[in-house]
Amino acid sequence: MTSRCGVCCYNEAKRVAIFGGTHGNEMSGIMLVNMWSKNEAEIQRSGVMTKPFITNPRAVEKCTRYVDTDLNRAFTPENLSAPCADELPYEVQRAQEINKMFGPKGSANAYDVIFDLHNTTSNMGSTLILESSADHFTLQMVHYIKKAIAPASCPVLLNEHPLLKYSTSRSVAKHPIGLEVGPQPQGVLRSNIFESMRAIMKHALDFIELFNNGVEFPPCSVDVFRVQERMDYPRDTNGNITAMVHPNLQDCDWEPLNPGDPMFQTFDGRTIPYEGSSPVYPTFINEAAYYEKQQAFVTTRRETLAAYAIRKTEQ
Amino acid sequence: MTSRCGVCCYNEAKRVAIFGGTHGNEMSGIMLVNMWSKNEAEIQRSGVMTKPFITNPRAVEKCTRYVDTDLNRAFTPENLSAPCADELPYEVQRAQEINKMFGPKGSANAYDVIFDLHNTTSNMGSTLILESSADHFTLQMVHYIKKAIAPASCPVLLNEHPLLKYSTSRSVAKHPIGLEVGPQPQGVLRSNIFESMRAIMKHALDFIELFNNGVEFPPCSVDVFRVQERMDYPRDTNGNITAMVHPNLQDCDWEPLNPGDPMFQTFDGRTIPYEGSSPVYPTFINEAAYYEKQQAFVTTRRETLAAYAIRKTEQ
Ligand SMILES: [Zn+2]
Ligand SMILES: [Zn+2]
């Protein structure tokens, strides 16, 4: 990226990947990627090479989140530089392969854009996940998508928290972007969720085509929800949960949780309120995969980011 | 059961079991059984010994439906009579243990009642599942429960189909009854589903207490949905699904599906209508666990069963 006359210049996004099956039981992305692998017409755009790709085929085969370890946490420097060995966990081996094919992560050879398609059991709607507030290319892209699908909403989750950010599959690309669409149970394919994800991908690829064709996108602002804190379930001394997400909070992703609002309901019927000092916006509420990660939901704060104007680098 | 003066006499139901975790990722029953194992007050009734029991602890530990094979299909005569051996699938070994503890199936020593607690990703509400239209004890019980929770509804699914009936964990008891409550994703605990299941168990145990105390229940009629047919997803020659449950059918468990109504939606947007000759009532629509069983939903027909009067056998 270079900056000239107040306009950020990025190279053309010639190589784009769409990942499905990073979690093998999240069906929308798996089915879309399989469909596009057989027939690419829908994802073809002039001047863009778009590759649909199943990242964790063994987990997809078993319809499970992962085989040995969470692939979407596996793209750490340690894993990617570990000596190749058959004893490595399957997903670590797979991360190395993916890094070779689509990276190397952080290098000039890496893919320009990777979309990673996920589902959640939470009522998050069609959420876009960003990893950096300084990537004006993805900020402009989500701005474009939000406008295109309005009046339907499209929340943007920004995870650049120093402790809670994790090493995603998509982080191999120069411009990583996650799609997280729900609610959908693991192992289930719902037509409404499938079509929502498909519509977002259409607009995302349209944006890339426009950008590559030389369109300049003017400065804009983007409302995002910035990851703040992981909230765990109440647990007993053995680590077993002793309460559920309160019915007033269940399914209320992106709505404000104010100090004193009900947060958990214990099995014996007591209400545990939120005791923070100011309102937060919870999301990933009651996501199935996060029980093992000691997370009932994550809190966020609203923030408006300024996106610079962007256009492609002159050749 | 003996019949005298138009009244069916059944022995007192002194030994009752509540099974959770027959499928290790169906959380409501698992959490209720664990809770009641620590504190039985809520399930204690005079003259009844009620045992809460986790049937598939290894699957619960892994939060998966099963380890080797579906426990809720494992209670066949072949499995239960197989020579004990470490090479048997885990769930077959477990079925033999459960049959020893709560059966033997079909014998006078078997438990009187087994409740088996399940969740589904389908929008089935609080469903009771019966295995025989000739068991007037369970018919009277579901009649009692339906009245007790009205105006909330409580559909009754009757599975005595010659081909589609399967060998359930609860089939070990003289009076087996299944609870199937949804929608709830696998691996998720929702407070509303938890409380619905808990309320039904309260009324079921109340019924048993009344019965054991000598109350005579007069003849009544019970509306049930009788299992008719398994409907699979459209598939290609490799066995991969080529369509999803149509949005008009999704979440419409127990509502009539008429000839010509949309049933599936293909990935390229075509609608596949229902082509039966008369209306049916679909259920288990888009249940996660049934993709591998080649079942998109099951069709049922409405039927009204006549339940005889019942009372306990005079000692
Ligand atoms: Zn995921
Ligand atoms: Zn089940």
Side-chain angles (χ1 to χ4, degrees), chain B residues 162-230:
Chain B
L163 301 176
L164 299 181
K165 184 169 179 172
Y166 44 87
S167 302
T168 58
S169 307
R170 57 189 175 269
S171 68
V172 165
K174 291 173 185 139
H175 306 293
I177 185 159
L179 269 73
E180 188 76 67
V181 188
Q184 182 172 269
Q186 298 174 344
V188 165
L189 184 67
R190 289 180 64 98
S191 57
N192 60 332
I193 303 292
F194 179 91
E195 296 299 347
S196 296
M197 188 176 269
R198 191 179 193 170
I200 287 187
M201 281 309 308
K202 177 207 173 314
H203 298 309
L205 294 170
D206 287 349
F207 169 84
I208 293 173
E209 184 175 43
L210 290 171
F211 175 82
N212 284 359
N213 285 348
V215 171
E216 181 172 317
F217 294 85
C220 65
S221 61
V222 183
D223 291 331
V224 303
F225 294 89
R226 183 188 284 271
V227 169
Q228 292 290 319
E229 197 180 356
R230 172 194 292 156

Coordinates of all heavy atoms in Angstrom, one line a residue, chain B residues 162-230:
Chain B
P162 N -43.4 -50.5 10.7 CA -42.7 -51.8 10.7 C -41.3 -51.6 10.2 O -40.4 -52.4 10.7 CB -43.5 -52.6 9.7 CG -44.4 -51.6 9.0 CD -44.6 -50.5 9.9
L163 N -40.9 -50.6 9.4 CA -39.6 -50.5 8.9 C -38.8 -49.4 9.6 O -37.6 -49.4 9.7 CB -39.6 -50.2 7.4 CG -40.3 -51.3 6.6 CD1 -40.3 -50.9 5.1 CD2 -39.5 -52.7 6.7
L164 N -39.5 -48.3 10.0 CA -38.9 -47.1 10.5 C -38.7 -47.1 12.0 O -38.0 -46.3 12.6 CB -39.6 -45.9 10.0 CG -39.6 -45.7 8.5 CD1 -40.4 -44.4 8.1 CD2 -38.2 -45.7 7.9
K165 N -39.4 -48.0 12.7 CA -39.2 -48.1 14.1 C -37.8 -48.6 14.4 O -37.3 -49.4 13.7 CB -40.2 -49.1 14.7 CG -40.2 -49.2 16.2 CD -41.4 -49.9 16.8 CE -41.3 -50.0 18.3 NZ -42.5 -50.5 18.9
Y166 N -37.2 -48.1 15.5 CA -35.8 -48.5 15.8 C -35.7 -48.9 17.2 O -36.6 -48.7 18.0 CB -34.8 -47.5 15.3 CG -35.2 -46.0 15.7 CD1 -34.8 -45.5 17.0 CD2 -35.9 -45.2 14.8 CE1 -35.1 -44.2 17.3 CE2 -36.2 -43.9 15.2 CZ -35.8 -43.4 16.4 OH -36.2 -42.2 16.8
S167 N -34.6 -49.5 17.6 CA -34.4 -50.1 18.9 C -33.8 -49.1 19.8 O -32.5 -49.1 20.0 CB -33.5 -51.4 18.7 OG -34.1 -52.3 17.8
T168 N -34.6 -48.4 20.5 CA -34.2 -47.3 21.3 C -33.6 -47.7 22.7 O -33.9 -48.8 23.2 CB -35.4 -46.3 21.6 OG1 -36.4 -47.1 22.3 CG2 -35.9 -45.8 20.3
S169 N -32.9 -46.8 23.3 CA -32.4 -47.1 24.7 C -33.6 -47.3 25.6 O -33.6 -48.2 26.5 CB -31.7 -45.9 25.2 OG -30.6 -45.5 24.3
R170 N -34.6 -46.5 25.5 CA -35.8 -46.6 26.4 C -36.6 -47.8 26.2 O -37.4 -48.2 27.0 CB -36.7 -45.3 26.2 CG -37.2 -45.1 24.8 CD -37.9 -43.8 24.6 NE -38.3 -43.5 23.3 CZ -37.6 -42.8 22.3 NH1 -36.3 -42.4 22.7 NH2 -38.0 -42.6 21.1
S171 N -36.4 -48.5 25.1 CA -37.2 -49.7 24.8 C -36.9 -50.9 25.7 O -37.6 -51.9 25.8 CB -36.9 -50.2 23.3 OG -35.6 -50.7 23.2
V172 N -35.9 -50.7 26.6 CA -35.6 -51.6 27.7 C -36.8 -51.7 28.7 O -37.0 -52.7 29.3 CB -34.3 -51.3 28.3 CG1 -34.1 -52.0 29.7 CG2 -33.1 -51.5 27.4
A173 N -37.5 -50.6 28.9 CA -38.5 -50.5 29.9 C -39.8 -51.1 29.4 O -40.1 -51.2 28.2 CB -38.7 -49.0 30.3
K174 N -40.7 -51.4 30.4 CA -42.1 -51.8 30.1 C -42.8 -50.7 29.4 O -43.6 -50.9 28.5 CB -42.8 -52.2 31.3 CG -42.2 -53.5 31.9 CD -42.8 -53.8 33.3 CE -42.1 -55.0 33.9 NZ -41.9 -54.9 35.3
H175 N -42.6 -49.5 29.9 CA -43.3 -48.3 29.3 C -42.2 -47.3 28.8 O -41.8 -46.4 29.6 CB -44.3 -47.7 30.3 CG -45.2 -48.6 30.8 ND1 -46.2 -49.2 30.1 CD2 -45.4 -49.1 32.1 CE1 -47.0 -50.0 30.9 NE2 -46.4 -50.0 32.1
P176 N -41.8 -47.3 27.6 CA -40.8 -46.4 27.1 C -41.5 -45.1 26.6 O -42.6 -45.1 26.0 CB -40.2 -47.1 25.9 CG -41.2 -48.1 25.5 CD -42.2 -48.3 26.6
I177 N -40.8 -44.0 26.9 CA -41.3 -42.7 26.4 C -40.2 -41.8 26.1 O -39.2 -41.6 26.9 CB -42.4 -42.1 27.4 CG1 -43.0 -40.8 26.8 CG2 -41.8 -41.8 28.7 CD1 -44.3 -40.5 27.4
G178 N -40.2 -41.2 24.9 CA -39.1 -40.3 24.5 C -39.6 -38.8 24.6 O -40.8 -38.5 24.3
L179 N -38.7 -37.9 25.0 CA -39.0 -36.5 24.9 C -38.0 -35.9 23.9 O -36.8 -36.2 24.0 CB -38.7 -35.8 26.3 CG -39.9 -35.7 27.2 CD1 -40.2 -37.0 27.8 CD2 -39.6 -34.6 28.3
E180 N -38.5 -35.2 23.0 CA -37.7 -34.6 21.9 C -38.0 -33.1 21.9 O -39.1 -32.7 21.4 CB -38.1 -35.3 20.6 CG -37.2 -35.0 19.4 CD -35.9 -35.7 19.5 OE1 -35.8 -37.0 19.4 OE2 -34.9 -35.0 19.6
V181 N -37.1 -32.3 22.3 CA -37.4 -30.9 22.5 C -36.5 -30.0 21.6 O -35.3 -30.2 21.6 CB -37.4 -30.4 24.0 CG1 -37.9 -29.0 24.1 CG2 -38.2 -31.4 24.8
G182 N -37.1 -29.1 20.9 CA -36.3 -28.3 20.0 C -37.0 -27.1 19.5 O -38.2 -26.9 19.9
P183 N -36.4 -26.2 18.8 CA -35.1 -26.3 18.2 C -34.0 -25.9 19.1 O -34.0 -24.9 19.8 CB -35.2 -25.4 17.0 CG -36.1 -24.3 17.4 CD -37.1 -24.9 18.3
Q184 N -32.9 -26.7 19.1 CA -31.7 -26.4 19.8 C -30.5 -27.0 19.0 O -30.5 -28.2 18.7 CB -31.8 -27.0 21.2 CG -30.5 -26.6 22.1 CD -30.7 -27.0 23.5 OE1 -31.1 -26.2 24.3 NE2 -30.3 -28.2 23.8
P185 N -29.5 -26.2 18.7 CA -28.3 -26.8 18.0 C -27.6 -27.8 18.9 O -27.7 -27.7 20.2 CB -27.4 -25.5 17.8 CG -28.3 -24.3 17.9 CD -29.4 -24.7 18.9
Q186 N -27.0 -28.7 18.3 CA -26.1 -29.7 19.0 C -25.1 -28.9 19.8 O -24.5 -27.9 19.3 CB -25.5 -30.7 18.1 CG -26.5 -31.5 17.3 CD -25.9 -32.4 16.2 OE1 -24.8 -32.2 15.8 NE2 -26.6 -33.4 15.7
G187 N -24.8 -29.3 21.0 CA -23.7 -28.7 21.8 C -24.1 -27.4 22.5 O -23.3 -26.8 23.1
V188 N -25.4 -27.0 22.3 CA -25.9 -25.7 22.9 C -26.9 -26.0 23.9 O -27.7 -27.0 23.8 CB -26.5 -24.8 21.8 CG1 -27.3 -23.7 22.4 CG2 -25.3 -24.3 20.9
L189 N -26.9 -25.2 25.0 CA -27.9 -25.3 26.0 C -28.7 -24.0 26.1 O -28.2 -23.0 26.4 CB -27.2 -25.5 27.4 CG -28.1 -25.7 28.6 CD1 -28.9 -27.0 28.5 CD2 -27.3 -25.7 29.9
R190 N -30.0 -24.1 25.7 CA -30.8 -22.9 25.7 C -31.8 -23.0 26.9 O -32.4 -24.0 27.1 CB -31.7 -22.8 24.4 CG -30.9 -22.5 23.1 CD -31.8 -22.5 21.9 NE -32.8 -21.4 22.0 CZ -32.7 -20.2 21.4 NH1 -31.7 -20.0 20.6 NH2 -33.6 -19.3 21.6
S191 N -31.9 -21.9 27.6 CA -32.7 -21.9 28.8 C -34.2 -22.2 28.5 O -34.8 -22.9 29.3 CB -32.6 -20.6 29.5 OG -33.0 -19.5 28.7
N192 N -34.7 -21.7 27.4 CA -36.1 -22.0 27.1 C -36.4 -23.5 26.9 O -37.4 -24.1 27.3 CB -36.6 -21.2 25.9 CG -35.9 -21.4 24.6 OD1 -34.7 -21.8 24.6 ND2 -36.5 -21.3 23.5
I193 N -35.5 -24.2 26.2 CA -35.6 -25.6 25.9 C -35.4 -26.4 27.2 O -36.2 -27.4 27.4 CB -34.6 -26.0 24.8 CG1 -34.8 -25.2 23.5 CG2 -34.7 -27.5 24.5 CD1 -36.1 -25.4 22.8
F194 N -34.5 -26.0 27.9 CA -34.2 -26.7 29.2 C -35.4 -26.6 30.1 O -35.9 -27.6 30.7 CB -33.0 -25.9 29.9 CG -32.6 -26.4 31.2 CD1 -31.6 -27.3 31.4 CD2 -33.1 -25.8 32.4 CE1 -31.1 -27.7 32.6 CE2 -32.7 -26.2 33.7 CZ -31.7 -27.2 33.8
E195 N -36.1 -25.4 30.2 CA -37.2 -25.3 31.1 C -38.4 -26.0 30.6 O -39.2 -26.5 31.3 CB -37.5 -23.8 31.3 CG -36.4 -23.0 32.1 CD -36.1 -23.5 33.5 OE1 -36.9 -24.3 34.0 OE2 -35.1 -23.1 34.0
S196 N -38.6 -26.1 29.2 CA -39.7 -26.9 28.7 C -39.6 -28.3 29.0 O -40.6 -29.0 29.4 CB -39.7 -26.7 27.1 OG -40.0 -25.4 26.8
M197 N -38.4 -28.9 28.9 CA -38.2 -30.3 29.2 C -38.4 -30.6 30.6 O -39.0 -31.6 31.0 CB -36.7 -30.7 28.8 CG -36.4 -32.1 28.8 SD -34.8 -32.5 28.2 CE -35.1 -32.8 26.5
R198 N -37.9 -29.6 31.5 CA -38.1 -29.8 32.9 C -39.6 -29.8 33.3 O -40.0 -30.6 34.2 CB -37.4 -28.6 33.6 CG -37.2 -28.6 35.0 CD -36.4 -27.3 35.4 NE -35.9 -27.4 36.8 CZ -35.1 -26.5 37.2 NH1 -34.6 -25.5 36.5 NH2 -34.6 -26.5 38.5
A199 N -40.3 -28.9 32.7 CA -41.8 -28.9 33.0 C -42.5 -30.2 32.6 O -43.4 -30.7 33.4 CB -42.4 -27.7 32.3
I200 N -42.2 -30.7 31.5 CA -42.8 -32.0 31.0 C -42.5 -33.1 32.0 O -43.3 -33.9 32.4 CB -42.4 -32.3 29.6 CG1 -43.1 -31.3 28.7 CG2 -42.7 -33.7 29.3 CD1 -43.0 -31.6 27.2
M201 N -41.2 -33.2 32.4 CA -40.8 -34.2 33.4 C -41.6 -34.1 34.7 O -41.9 -35.1 35.3 CB -39.3 -34.2 33.6 CG -38.5 -34.9 32.5 SD -39.1 -36.5 32.1 CE -39.1 -37.3 33.7
K202 N -41.8 -32.8 35.1 CA -42.6 -32.6 36.4 C -43.9 -33.3 36.2 O -44.4 -34.0 37.1 CB -42.7 -31.1 36.6 CG -43.6 -30.8 37.9 CD -44.2 -29.4 37.8 CE -45.2 -29.2 38.9 NZ -46.2 -30.2 39.2
H203 N -44.6 -33.0 35.1 CA -46.0 -33.5 35.0 C -46.0 -35.0 34.8 O -46.9 -35.7 35.3 CB -46.7 -32.8 33.8 CG -46.8 -31.3 34.0 ND1 -47.4 -30.7 35.1 CD2 -46.4 -30.3 33.2 CE1 -47.4 -29.4 35.0 NE2 -46.8 -29.1 33.8
A204 N -45.0 -35.5 34.1 CA -44.9 -37.0 33.9 C -44.8 -37.7 35.2 O -45.4 -38.7 35.5 CB -43.7 -37.3 33.0
L205 N -43.9 -37.2 36.1 CA -43.7 -37.8 37.4 C -44.9 -37.6 38.3 O -45.3 -38.5 39.1 CB -42.4 -37.2 38.1 CG -41.1 -37.6 37.3 CD1 -40.0 -36.8 37.9 CD2 -40.8 -39.1 37.4
D206 N -45.6 -36.5 38.2 CA -46.8 -36.3 38.9 C -47.9 -37.3 38.5 O -48.6 -37.9 39.4 CB -47.4 -34.9 38.6 CG -46.6 -33.7 39.3 OD1 -45.8 -34.0 40.1 OD2 -46.9 -32.6 38.9
F207 N -47.9 -37.6 37.2 CA -48.9 -38.6 36.8 C -48.6 -40.0 37.4 O -49.5 -40.7 37.9 CB -48.8 -38.7 35.2 CG -49.5 -39.9 34.7 CD1 -50.9 -39.8 34.4 CD2 -48.9 -41.1 34.4 CE1 -51.6 -41.0 33.9 CE2 -49.5 -42.2 33.9 CZ -50.9 -42.1 33.7
I208 N -47.3 -40.3 37.4 CA -46.9 -41.6 38.0 C -47.3 -41.7 39.4 O -47.8 -42.7 39.9 CB -45.4 -41.9 37.7 CG1 -45.2 -42.1 36.2 CG2 -45.0 -43.2 38.5 CD1 -43.7 -42.2 35.8
E209 N -47.1 -40.6 40.2 CA -47.4 -40.6 41.6 C -48.9 -40.8 41.8 O -49.3 -41.6 42.6 CB -46.9 -39.3 42.2 CG -47.2 -39.2 43.7 CD -46.6 -37.9 44.3 OE1 -46.8 -36.8 43.7 OE2 -46.0 -38.0 45.4
L210 N -49.7 -40.1 41.0 CA -51.1 -40.2 41.1 C -51.6 -41.7 40.8 O -52.4 -42.3 41.5 CB -51.9 -39.3 40.1 CG -51.8 -37.8 40.5 CD1 -52.3 -36.9 39.3 CD2 -52.5 -37.5 41.8
F211 N -51.0 -42.2 39.7 CA -51.3 -43.6 39.3 C -51.0 -44.6 40.5 O -51.8 -45.4 40.9 CB -50.6 -44.0 38.1 CG -50.8 -45.4 37.7 CD1 -51.9 -45.8 36.9 CD2 -49.8 -46.4 38.0 CE1 -52.1 -47.1 36.6 CE2 -50.0 -47.7 37.6 CZ -51.2 -48.1 36.9
N212 N -49.8 -44.4 41.0 CA -49.4 -45.3 42.1 C -50.2 -45.2 43.3 O -50.4 -46.1 44.1 CB -47.9 -45.1 42.5 CG -47.0 -45.7 41.4 OD1 -47.4 -46.3 40.4 ND2 -45.7 -45.5 41.6
N213 N -50.8 -44.0 43.5 CA -51.6 -43.7 44.7 C -53.0 -44.3 44.5 O -53.9 -44.1 45.4 CB -51.7 -42.2 45.0 CG -50.4 -41.7 45.6 OD1 -49.6 -42.5 46.1 ND2 -50.3 -40.4 45.7
G214 N -53.3 -44.8 43.3 CA -54.6 -45.5 43.1 C -55.6 -44.7 42.3 O -56.8 -45.2 42.1
V215 N -55.2 -43.6 41.8 CA -56.2 -42.8 41.0 C -56.5 -43.6 39.7 O -55.7 -44.2 39.1 CB -55.5 -41.5 40.6 CG1 -56.4 -40.7 39.5 CG2 -55.3 -40.6 41.8
E216 N -57.8 -43.6 39.4 CA -58.2 -44.3 38.2 C -58.4 -43.2 37.1 O -59.0 -42.1 37.3 CB -59.6 -45.0 38.3 CG -60.0 -45.7 37.1 CD -61.3 -46.6 37.3 OE1 -61.3 -47.3 38.3 OE2 -62.2 -46.5 36.5
F217 N -57.8 -43.4 35.9 CA -57.9 -42.5 34.8 C -58.9 -43.0 33.8 O -58.8 -44.1 33.3 CB -56.5 -42.3 34.2 CG -55.5 -41.7 35.1 CD1 -54.8 -42.5 36.0 CD2 -55.3 -40.3 35.1 CE1 -53.8 -41.9 36.8 CE2 -54.4 -39.7 35.9 CZ -53.6 -40.5 36.8
P218 N -60.0 -42.1 33.6 CA -61.1 -42.6 32.7 C -60.6 -42.7 31.3 O -59.6 -42.1 30.9 CB -62.1 -41.5 32.9 CG -61.3 -40.3 33.3 CD -60.1 -40.8 34.1
P219 N -61.4 -43.3 30.4 CA -61.1 -43.5 29.0 C -60.9 -42.1 28.4 O -61.6 -41.1 28.8 CB -62.3 -44.1 28.4 CG -63.1 -44.7 29.5 CD -62.7 -43.9 30.8
C220 N -60.1 -41.9 27.5 CA -59.9 -40.6 26.8 C -59.4 -40.9 25.4 O -59.1 -42.0 25.0 CB -58.9 -39.8 27.6 SG -57.2 -40.5 27.6
S221 N -59.3 -39.8 24.6 CA -58.7 -39.9 23.3 C -57.5 -39.1 23.2 O -57.4 -38.0 23.9 CB -59.8 -39.5 22.2 OG -60.1 -38.2 22.4
V222 N -56.5 -39.5 22.4 CA -55.2 -38.8 22.3 C -54.9 -38.6 20.8 O -54.9 -39.6 20.0 CB -54.1 -39.7 22.9 CG1 -52.8 -38.9 22.9 CG2 -54.4 -40.0 24.4
D223 N -54.7 -37.4 20.4 CA -54.3 -37.1 19.0 C -52.8 -37.3 18.9 O -52.0 -36.8 19.7 CB -54.6 -35.6 18.7 CG -56.1 -35.3 18.6 OD1 -56.8 -36.2 18.3 OD2 -56.5 -34.2 18.9
V224 N -52.5 -38.1 17.9 CA -51.1 -38.4 17.7 C -50.7 -38.2 16.2 O -51.6 -38.1 15.3 CB -50.7 -39.9 18.1 CG1 -51.1 -40.2 19.5 CG2 -51.4 -40.9 17.1
F225 N -49.4 -38.1 15.9 CA -48.9 -38.1 14.6 C -48.2 -39.4 14.3 O -47.2 -39.7 15.0 CB -48.0 -36.9 14.4 CG -48.6 -35.6 14.5 CD1 -48.7 -34.9 15.7 CD2 -49.1 -34.9 13.4 CE1 -49.3 -33.7 15.8 CE2 -49.7 -33.7 13.5 CZ -49.8 -33.0 14.7
R226 N -48.7 -40.2 13.4 CA -48.2 -41.5 13.2 C -47.1 -41.5 12.1 O -47.4 -41.0 11.0 CB -49.3 -42.5 12.8 CG -48.8 -44.0 12.7 CD -49.8 -44.9 12.1 NE -50.8 -45.3 13.1 CZ -50.7 -46.3 13.9 NH1 -49.6 -47.1 13.8 NH2 -51.7 -46.6 14.8
V227 N -45.9 -42.0 12.4 CA -44.8 -42.0 11.4 C -45.2 -42.8 10.1 O -45.7 -43.9 10.2 CB -43.5 -42.7 12.0 CG1 -42.5 -42.9 10.9 CG2 -43.0 -41.8 13.1
Q228 N -45.0 -42.2 9.0 CA -45.4 -42.8 7.7 C -44.2 -43.1 6.8 O -44.1 -44.2 6.4 CB -46.3 -41.8 6.9 CG -47.7 -41.5 7.5 CD -48.6 -42.7 7.4 OE1 -48.6 -43.4 6.4 NE2 -49.3 -43.0 8.5
E229 N -43.4 -42.1 6.6 CA -42.4 -42.3 5.5 C -41.2 -41.4 5.8 O -41.3 -40.3 6.3 CB -43.0 -41.9 4.2 CG -42.3 -42.4 2.9 CD -43.0 -42.0 1.7 OE1 -44.1 -41.3 1.7 OE2 -42.4 -42.2 0.6
R230 N -40.0 -41.9 5.4 CA -38.8 -41.1 5.5 C -38.6 -40.4 4.1 O -38.7 -41.1 3.1 CB -37.7 -42.0 5.8 CG -36.3 -41.4 5.7 CD -35.2 -42.5 5.7 NE -35.2 -43.2 7.0 CZ -34.7 -44.4 7.2 NH1 -34.3 -45.1 6.1 NH2 -34.7 -45.0 8.4

